[in-house]
Amino acid sequence: MENELQRKIEWLEKRHALIAEEVENIENDRRLDRSSRAQVLLRHAKKEKLRLKDHIQWMKNLESRLQKN
């Protein structure tokens, strides 16, 4: 179970890195494109990035609890 948990954490961290890069790209594009569509894309990407960050932290806490037991 711990191996599965570690693989899931690694996958989430890779996904978080991709989303972080996407947020950066959207923010750079927003300097030229101030449309509401671009704003919505940025908002959704930031929400996804935060959700992944929270999920990673939760999984790491779970992993540390399993290691203690």
Side-chain angles (χ1 to χ4, degrees):
M1 182 170 166
E2 289 180 22
N3 289 338
E4 290 178 34
L5 190 59
Q6 186 59 36
R7 282 187 291 147
K8 181 69 172 183
I9 291 171
E10 289 172 4
W11 182 86
L12 287 168
E13 288 174 340
K14 288 178 186 176
R15 178 81 175 133
H16 183 266
L18 290 173
I19 294 293
E21 186 177 318
E22 183 179 328
V23 166
E24 186 176 322
N25 289 338
I26 293 171
E27 285 176 338
N28 289 337
D29 292 345
R30 282 264 303 152
R31 293 185 182 141
L32 301 173
D33 180 13
R34 302 295 292 174
S35 69
S36 60
R37 180 185 168 277
Q39 183 180 11
V40 169
L41 284 174
L42 181 60
R43 187 180 309 128
H44 286 296
K46 283 185 174 183
K47 282 181 182 179
E48 177 71 9
K49 180 181 168 187
L50 184 59
R51 186 188 67 78
L52 286 169
K53 182 180 174 186
D54 290 343
H55 199 74
I56 290 167
Q57 187 60 43
W58 181 81
M59 296 289 271
K60 285 183 177 181
N61 287 340
L62 180 62
E63 181 182 39
S64 67
R65 287 184 192 170
L66 288 174
Q67 288 176 352
K68 288 180 183 177
N69 293 333

